[in-house]
Amino acid sequence: MSQQSTAPAPPVGLRVPEAVHRRRWAVLGVLMLSLLIVVLDNSILNVAVKTIAAPAPTGIGATQSELEWSINSYTLVFAGLLFTSGLLGDRLGRKKVLLFGITVFGIGSALAAFSGSPGELIGYRAVMGLGAAFVMPSTLAVLMNVFERDEQPKAIGIWAGSVGLAIAIGPITGGILLEHFWWGSIFLVNVPVVLLALALMLWLVPDSRDPHPGRVDIPGVLLSVVGLVLLVYGIIHGGELASFTDVTVLAPVLGGLAVLVGFVLHERRSDHPAIDMALFRKPAFAAAVAAIALVFFALMGVTFFSAFYLQSVRGYTALESGLLILPLAVAQMVFAPRARLVVERFGARAVCTAGMLLVAAGLAAFATFEADTPVWVLEVVFFAQGAGMAHIMPPVTVSIMQALPREKAGSGSAVNNTFRQVGGALGVAVLGSVLSSTYRGEIEGHLGGVPAALRDTAGESVEATLAVARELGPAGKGLIGPAYTAFLDAMHVTALASTAIAVVGAGVVAAFLPGRPARDGASAS
């Protein structure tokens, strides 16, 4: 038991250059700053969706579908290019890729801030996603190359905890900015942070690369991007139509699935695959990847509709909504860096299963929330969800990253972040569609008195219904109560769907993640 603390192996077998090893914690701080703005951007946007949906000059009049695409255009470009960016980092140098990504992200942020229409916002968000695709995997790959193996779980826990910090800062920063400036300030605020990160990267971050890289799998990357875009577009369109049997929905969904099957077949035959499919034959690796995808599928969908619940139904401002979500972030910041200690005692299987069940319980609680649910109940639920995530993210990330040699850290990081982002994108699309279609079905019976020209718009979302009610003046007052009721019913259905996904995730990790580690040192790897 005490051998670990007294063994002289680390200095003797040190693979990280001494100069880099000495500044490893400063490097981690720079990596966290880079990760912070990439994650913060999405958490800010979730608070701002109500403002962006408002007509000009307050917002840009984005519809429910356009709001989803302003999130998904970023996420899909991000997820689709993670394969390539991870490979390029291993091949060209992770510092170079990181500098490129943060620069593009900053340019996209400045352009998004001055978008004149939802279409422009979606396009510039895609540019931001391009930059982010080269940032996030590089941060984790650099981390794996500046820390020795025994310190990697601790460093990854802190890295994951920075996600909680971003979740905390994002909504609060977004709320403050929206109260004092125009909606575009939520993107413009990224620019000075990007400039600071660039300066610190140039000064502190060492470069590293794979000495024996393979070729970039361009066909594989293209297949993954096309497949994901088709699939998620079909799901979002299905929510808009409140029907998943329409040919304009089935065609992209089935086409996307076919392309993704083609992607898998191509990767299995390729001699230089973007992702090594053999890794997924290892139950622990596959379960870790599935856990990340499933937990973000469930949580991203809930994060999307919770902004409407807090602001449209409960009447809180953007800043107040951000403060209400603070317990989720605090729990992540507190527990994520310490998750490795719990894993050492109880094993990854028990810890991640308990975390998934805690997330599932928090999601199930949303199915009981009403317009007058006490605030302290919301706070307890958000804290429980954050604590659950804090005990899932670090262990599964360690499992994925340590399954690959240090030289392939970019590829491992790409796998980790791809499934996380794909899970989040599909969560927003699928659960957003469930929310939208359920809401439309609930509210349609109350739109009989609405002029025909406005009826379709009024049924799109709770914010759209309330906007039409305001436009109709006294004649629209009768829509407000049914709109709240329809949204709450839709939220309950969506929360139960999210809960089911999280329970599936708990079953996967309980069945396949490794149990408590052996104490005799024989299994050390």
Side-chain angles (χ1 to χ4, degrees):
M1 299 267 290
S2 61
Q3 283 177 299
Q4 275 184 298
S5 58
T6 59
V12 174
L14 200 68
R15 294 184 54 197
V16 177
E18 182 59 33
V20 174
H21 186 71
R22 279 199 306 268
R23 66 176 191 268
R24 65 195 184 283
W25 297 109
V27 172
L28 179 59
V30 180
L31 299 178
M32 287 172 61
L33 180 64
S34 307
L35 180 67
L36 183 81
I37 57 170
V38 171
V39 177
L40 176 147
D41 183 73
N42 262 345
S43 59
I44 280 185
L45 187 58
N46 284 324
V47 171
V49 289
K50 181 175 180 289
T51 305
I52 295 172
T58 303
I60 51 176
T63 65
Q64 181 89 354
S65 174
E66 288 167 339
L67 288 171
E68 289 181 17
W69 270 107
S70 68
I71 294 172
N72 280 325
S73 64
Y74 176 94
T75 307
L76 285 177
V77 173
F78 188 3
L81 291 176
L82 280 170
F83 297 129
T84 303
S85 66
L87 291 171
L88 286 177
D90 288 344
R91 185 185 185 92
L92 303 176
R94 290 148 194 146
K95 180 176 181 176
K96 295 183 185 71
V97 167
L98 187 58
L99 289 169
F100 169 79
I102 203 74
T103 301
V104 172
F105 183 85
I107 292 170
S109 297
L111 292 171
F114 297 99
S115 301
S117 68
E120 285 186 15
L121 177 60
I122 291 168
Y124 294 139
R125 288 276 297 161
V127 174
M128 294 172 69
L130 171 64
F134 288 84
V135 172
M136 186 174 275
S138 298
T139 63
L140 192 51
V142 170
L143 181 155
M144 299 299 288
N145 279 272
V146 298
F147 285 91
E148 293 300 327
R149 189 177 181 88
D150 61 334
E151 280 191 320
Q152 286 170 1
K154 180 179 181 180
I156 287 173
I158 296 170
W159 179 88
S162 68
V163 175
L165 180 62
I167 293 172
I169 294 174
I172 296 170
T173 304
I176 293 172
L177 290 171
L178 291 172
E179 285 199 355
H180 296 91
F181 304 99
W182 95 114
W183 66 268
S185 62
I186 65 169
F187 299 114
L188 199 59
V189 73
N190 292 335
V191 176
V193 183
V194 164
L195 294 174
L196 175 62
L198 279 171
L200 292 173
M201 280 178 205
L202 290 167
W203 177 33
L204 290 170
V205 175
D207 206 358
S208 60
R209 70 181 74 192
D210 182 355
H212 306 291
R215 299 196 311 275
V216 175
D217 180 20
I218 294 175
V221 170
L222 293 176
L223 286 170
S224 66
V225 172
V226 172
L228 285 169
V229 169
L230 284 173
L231 178 62
V232 177
Y233 171 78
I235 292 168
I236 292 175
H237 191 46
E240 287 181 307
L241 300 179
S243 169
F244 287 88
T245 58
D246 190 279
V247 67
T248 60
V249 175
L250 285 175
V253 167
L254 296 178
L257 289 173
V259 173
L260 290 174
V261 169
F263 165 74
V264 172
L265 295 175
H266 168 79
E267 295 300 294
R268 291 178 65 180
R269 290 196 304 266
S270 176
D271 60 357
H272 57 283
I275 178 171
D276 183 2
M277 291 296 168
L279 289 169
F280 293 93
R281 297 194 192 107
K282 300 177 181 179
F285 181 88
V289 167
I292 282 183
L294 290 170
V295 75
F296 273 88
F297 182 104
L299 276 172
M300 284 300 290
V302 170
T303 303
F304 182 75
F305 72 65
S306 65
F308 287 100
Y309 169 69
L310 293 172
Q311 295 181 52
S312 298
V313 177
R314 299 297 297 257
Y316 294 114
T317 65
L319 176 57
E320 289 167 341
S321 297
L323 291 170
L324 286 171
I325 299 174
L326 194 58
L328 186 147
V330 170
Q332 283 204 54
M333 288 190 296
V334 169
F335 293 116
R338 295 169 174 79
R340 76 188 192 286
L341 304 176
V342 188
V343 171
E344 286 172 7
R345 181 167 184 179
F346 298 105
R349 179 190 302 158
V351 172
C352 290
T353 301
M356 275 287 193
L357 291 175
L358 195 56
V359 168
L363 296 171
F366 269 92
T368 68
F369 286 179
E370 302 293 344
D372 57 353
T373 298
V375 171
W376 69 266
V377 175
L378 305 183
E379 301 300 86
V380 169
V381 168
F382 282 133
F383 187 84
Q385 287 182 316
M389 282 201 71
H391 289 90
I392 299 167
M393 286 280 295
V396 297
T397 302
V398 169
S399 294
I400 293 169
M401 295 304 297
Q402 292 194 343
L404 292 163
R406 190 192 300 266
E407 292 76 17
K408 301 293 182 183
S411 301
S413 182
V415 171
N416 176 74
N417 289 297
T418 295
F419 278 85
R420 168 179 165 165
Q421 290 304 123
V422 169
L426 292 176
V428 171
V430 174
L431 298 177
S433 296
V434 170
L435 182 74
S436 178
S437 58
T438 307
Y439 179 81
R440 185 182 289 274
E442 292 276 337
I443 198 65
E444 271 184 349
H446 302 277
L447 300 178
V450 176
L454 296 174
R455 200 169 298 157
D456 189 59
T457 301
E460 201 170 71
S461 67
V462 62
E463 198 56 37
T465 306
L466 295 176
V468 169
R470 287 191 294 269
E471 188 175 330
L472 295 175
K477 285 186 178 179
L479 286 175
I480 297 174
Y484 290 156
T485 301
F487 177 81
L488 288 170
D489 289 345
M491 184 181 78
H492 295 161
V493 171
T494 309
L496 291 175
S498 305
T499 303
I501 297 298
V503 169
V504 169
V508 168
V509 298
F512 298 111
L513 276 188
R516 190 173 179 176
R519 290 184 173 271
D520 58 9
S523 62
S525 56

